[in-house]
Amino acid sequence: MMQESRVKFAGLAILVVAIALTGVAIWKTQPTGERPLVSVMRQPQRVMGTTCRLIVVVPQDEQRRANEMLDAAEQRLRHIESLCSTYIETSELSRFNTGQIDQLGETTGLIANLAHGFWRESDGAFDVTARPQFQLWKRCAAEGRLPRKDEIAAARELSHWQLIVWDRSIPRKTKPTVQFDLGGIAKGYAIQQALVSMHEAGAVGGLVDVGGDVHCFGVTADGGKWEVGLRDPFGQRVLFHLKVRNRAVCTSGNYARFVEIDGKRYSHIIDPRTGMPADHVPSVTVIAMDATTADAWATALSVLGPSGLEMLPEDTEAMIVTGTSDDYDVHTTPGFNGYMGKFEVQNSKLE
Ligand code: AMP
Ligand code: MG
């Protein structure tokens, strides 16, 4: 049974230092007699509208193959972006949303199918069919006003899972008004697919980072675990590092993305059950076996808050920050602390 623990960052600092000291010996151990490893990094420009970092680890004498692996990984990311972006008018998802097609293709359909699973698991908190509600908030923000109750109700009627039928596991809409927004899951899926391509190509280790959402496998060039920096939910600096292997780490938060209406910030994450922004959770970080799960649950927990920690699937850990920069709480699943690595800010007071 998942037990929630409430701690302040100051308390975590002590714990983290202790874990880091005991962990070092294990992480630096590399089996003897192995070929030396090198890591090759690439930072492709503007993937999914954000920063990107790809790393493959290969034996030194196979370094030539690293570039092919990076090409393949980058291509997977860009391919999934070209299918799922709602900013690209000609993407498959845009054509589905505007009614040019009423059924998705195989890859996009699979992502929507996975999204449907997360909708069920999260009791409706994660809902990619709620795009008309997301759009309503954006439109009202541009007009500088809050949406009216009747507008929210109307947006909810336009698109929901009951208006979808499944045709060989691929969703087809039964009403033209249905729209999907895969913004809370497609990045994670793309990251995971890019990582799978590195693994299939024979890399010893690899890491895919798109906008701070990360999935890694295998070892680093020195045979250790991967370090993933976690940012201050109320600022930009890295507070501490997680030490992970064969895991994904995704963060959702309204500190970076929000709309402003009448001087007040509203989250870009909407509770589809009420049509209201999920404003009580500034930041959620999820560690999962794969990036699709981590991405979807980070968004879902932004809606559910700490009570959602009980609903997480097996082998999934999370940290939720609630409150404001002056008065915040940190809620973690017990297993989360086991991933804590180096603490970057020794005096751990948030900004
Ligand atoms: P993320 O940054 O992964 O949390 O994704 C946020 C994006 O997911 C938003 O910009 C919306 O496009 C979409 N979204 C917002 N609220 C939800 C929700 N409740 N369920 C699924 N997707 C959502
Ligand atoms: Mg997400």
Side-chain angles (χ1 to χ4, degrees):
M1 194 64 183
M2 199 80 64
Q3 213 184 35
E4 184 196 331
S5 58
R6 287 162 59 96
V7 275
K8 294 277 185 190
F9 274 118
L12 283 182
I14 301 157
L15 176 74
V16 166
V17 170
I19 292 168
L21 287 176
T22 53
V24 162
I26 307 160
W27 298 330
K28 292 290 177 200
T29 306
Q30 193 180 2
T32 50
E34 273 187 13
R35 290 183 290 173
L37 301 173
V38 287
S39 66
V40 184
M41 181 172 78
R42 179 184 296 179
Q43 290 179 289
Q45 293 297 304
R46 295 213 68 74
V47 174
M48 302 190 150
T50 184
T51 55
C52 180
R53 189 168 53 114
L54 306 171
I55 304 174
V56 286
V57 178
V58 289
Q60 209 165 30
D61 50 3
E62 286 181 28
Q63 202 169 336
R64 263 187 323 110
R65 291 186 50 230
N67 272 330
E68 288 166 27
M69 294 176 182
L70 293 170
D71 284 346
E74 183 178 345
Q75 207 195 334
R76 290 253 184 137
L77 289 175
R78 296 203 187 274
H79 176 60
I80 294 163
E81 180 180 17
S82 75
L83 292 173
C84 297
S85 171
T86 49
Y87 296 98
I88 302 172
E89 275 179 28
T90 52
S91 75
E92 191 177 287
L93 192 62
S94 292
R95 285 185 288 126
F96 177 83
N97 285 342
T98 53
Q100 295 169 59
I101 50 173
D102 66 0
Q103 181 156 26
L104 294 172
E106 209 172 303
T107 302
T108 319
L110 172 64
I111 302 171
N113 199 322
L114 293 168
H116 182 249
F118 293 116
W119 171 73
R120 271 192 277 114
E121 282 179 37
S122 68
D123 272 351
F126 183 81
D127 191 350
V128 300
T129 67
R131 180 168 146 88
Q133 296 179 50
F134 312 156
Q135 293 297 94
L136 173 65
W137 277 92
K138 279 188 201 154
R139 202 167 55 244
C140 286
E143 294 168 12
R145 65 180 182 93
L146 291 171
R148 294 188 314 269
K149 277 198 174 126
D150 63 301
E151 287 177 306
I152 291 176
R156 292 175 72 188
E157 282 304 306
L158 293 175
S159 182
H160 46 77
W161 280 112
Q162 285 73 29
L163 298 173
I164 289 293
V165 289
W166 297 93
D167 189 351
R168 283 165 290 121
S169 302
I170 306 230
R172 184 159 55 76
K173 51 170 138 176
T174 59
K175 205 175 158 192
T177 53
V178 172
Q179 294 195 14
F180 286 165
D181 180 334
L182 299 175
I185 186 171
K187 195 197 320 164
Y189 182 81
I191 291 172
Q192 184 179 346
Q193 290 307 309
L195 197 85
V196 165
S197 84
M198 292 174 176
H199 189 248
E200 284 173 355
V204 180
L207 177 140
V208 180
D209 171 349
V210 181
D213 287 344
V214 172
H215 195 175
C216 59
F217 81 96
V219 291
T220 60
D222 66 358
K225 290 189 178 182
W226 297 91
E227 278 198 2
V228 180
L230 280 198
R231 273 188 230 135
D232 178 346
F234 305 110
Q236 275 304 307
R237 64 191 177 161
V238 170
L239 273 188
F240 56 86
H241 296 268
L242 299 174
K243 285 272 190 183
V244 286
R245 177 178 291 163
N246 301 333
R247 289 288 184 281
V249 182
C250 293
T251 297
S252 282
N254 63 8
Y255 56 90
R257 292 168 66 195
F258 52 85
V259 295
E260 203 168 295
I261 304 173
D262 255 348
K264 186 174 174 329
R265 287 177 172 201
Y266 292 90
S267 173
H268 66 293
I269 297 172
I270 307 292
D271 183 342
R273 301 161 308 176
T274 60
M276 295 303 289
D279 277 334
H280 52 292
V281 181
S283 172
V284 177
T285 296
V286 175
I287 307 173
M289 301 286 279
D290 64 79
T292 313
T293 304
D295 191 5
W297 270 103
T299 309
L301 287 176
S302 299
V303 172
L304 292 165
S307 66
L309 293 175
E310 298 273 345
M311 298 159 75
L312 283 173
E314 228 180 302
D315 291 320
T316 307
E317 307 293 343
M319 179 183 83
I320 301 183
V321 178
T322 53
T324 62
S325 55
D326 304 326
D327 183 19
Y328 59 86
D329 278 308
V330 183
H331 313 253
T332 58
T333 53
F336 190 91
N337 297 342
Y339 290 96
M340 293 285 210
K342 196 171 67 204
F343 219 82
E344 198 68 36
V345 181
Q346 288 305 327
N347 173 8
S348 60
K349 248 174 94 58
L350 294 172
E351 277 178 354

